[in-house]
Amino acid sequence: MRIIVESNYDEMSKTAARIVADQVKRKPDCVLGLATGSTPLGMYRELIAMYQRNEVDFSRVKTFNLDEYYPLPADHPQSYHYFMYQNLFKHINVPREQIHIPQGIAADVEKACQEYEKAINAVGGIDLQVLGIGENGHIGFNEPAERMHVATHLTDLTEETVRVNSRFFSSLSEVPRQAVTMGMGTILKARRIILLANGPRKAQAIKEAVSGYITSKCPASFLQVHPDVILILDREAASLL
Ligand code: PGA
């Protein structure tokens, strides 16, 4: 596990964007695993700026997002579909048919999860997976639990996650209680992983994630067994290391 500590959020975002852009330059038809949340917003802004300066071309890239609330229609302003189009996809040249996000509504959600997993395998797996981390150590919506799912699945959100994410909704009761998420195996199969974290509220989860122990109480701690993970942190998120 490599750890890069940057002085602030902007520097963290630039470093992450450089790694993503380098991946796309090295392999123009690469498969990117993408994340939502406040953390990667700066990285997406940087990538859009690079695209506008003709420094990176996304026309052959395929993307797979980590997760989506369930049930929530794609056009809901708090859906991760909506987030990704607003904050990245509508500003760059990745073709729509190369974008994949778990369905927030499906007639048969279990089948949709299996198909998502198959679609990732069919393109040869994820080359670079971008992750944030929850205050409780979750990655994607793999919440702390006794047992962790390996593959893409429908999961219940913890009360803590519902509370933390309620800041984007008009009330706590509006926050979906479930989500479809890549599993721990889906994430760990990515050839390279970058995890971004900023701010003091992430410091404890980051400390546990690099502790030398793996525990399902901190799902991010499993990243320690992966051969190519880079943590990109600001000083506050790194403050307990
Ligand atoms: P955040 O969420 O980027 O909004 O802090 C990260 C996460 O919950 O994984």
Side-chain angles (χ1 to χ4, degrees):
M1 213 175 216
R2 261 176 69 200
I3 302 177
I4 300 174
V5 182
E6 298 290 2
S7 49
N8 57 44
Y9 178 77
D10 284 347
E11 293 305 317
M12 177 200 80
S13 302
K14 281 184 191 153
T15 297
R18 254 193 314 271
I19 292 173
V20 174
D22 284 348
Q23 169 69 64
V24 175
K25 285 178 203 166
R26 222 174 24 249
K27 186 178 175 190
D29 61 345
C30 68
V31 181
L32 298 179
L34 297 177
T36 49
S38 319
T39 311
L41 278 172
M43 181 191 78
Y44 290 144
R45 278 195 293 269
E46 283 297 323
L47 287 170
I48 293 164
M50 285 178 176
Y51 168 70
Q52 288 168 343
R53 294 195 301 261
N54 285 322
E55 291 169 13
V56 59
D57 172 17
F58 294 96
S59 62
R60 295 172 62 200
V61 168
K62 298 172 206 80
T63 69
F64 285 85
N65 263 78
L66 275 171
D67 46 19
E68 178 57 286
Y69 286 117
Y70 197 92
L72 208 62
D75 61 359
H76 190 285
Q78 296 311 333
S79 78
Y80 290 163
H81 279 76
Y82 194 87
F83 176 101
M84 289 307 299
Y85 278 92
Q86 292 303 313
N87 294 300
L88 182 65
F89 296 143
K90 77 172 188 187
H91 306 285
I92 63 171
N93 65 336
V94 58
R96 263 180 188 248
E97 60 276 16
Q98 288 160 217
I99 293 170
H100 306 81
I101 305 175
Q103 291 174 38
I105 289 185
D108 183 344
V109 66
E110 211 168 294
K111 189 159 166 257
C113 290
Q114 285 168 7
E115 278 168 5
Y116 199 69
E117 201 72 26
K118 272 192 211 151
I120 294 172
N121 291 332
V123 296
I126 293 168
D127 291 299
L128 176 64
Q129 175 68 54
V130 177
L131 296 176
I133 183 170
E135 291 174 33
N136 64 1
H138 73 201
I139 48 177
F141 276 126
N142 293 279
E143 300 278 38
E146 203 175 318
R147 300 193 306 173
M148 312 291 315
H149 281 264
V150 173
T152 301
H153 61 284
L154 180 67
T155 186
D156 294 333
L157 303 182
T158 61
E159 272 311 308
E160 186 189 358
T161 294
V162 170
R163 182 181 49 73
V164 170
N165 289 7
S166 67
R167 68 189 192 279
F168 300 111
F169 290 82
S170 42
S171 72
L172 193 64
S173 62
E174 264 193 38
V175 187
R177 276 6 195 207
Q178 289 187 300
V180 171
T181 180
M182 286 185 190
M184 293 299 289
T186 328
I187 293 170
L188 288 168
K189 275 191 284 187
R191 284 182 270 283
R192 171 173 256 200
I193 297 172
I194 58 174
L195 183 147
L196 283 60
N198 68 289
R201 295 219 303 267
K202 301 291 173 70
Q204 184 62 34
I206 290 296
K207 184 181 174 192
E208 284 168 37
V210 304
S211 64
Y213 295 91
I214 53 176
T215 166
S216 58
K217 289 183 191 145
C218 176
S221 67
F222 281 77
L223 298 173
Q224 292 170 108
V225 304
H226 190 284
D228 190 358
V229 175
I230 309 173
L231 302 192
I232 310 169
L233 314 172
D234 75 347
R235 280 203 195 111
E236 292 176 321
S239 61
L240 298 178
L241 301 185

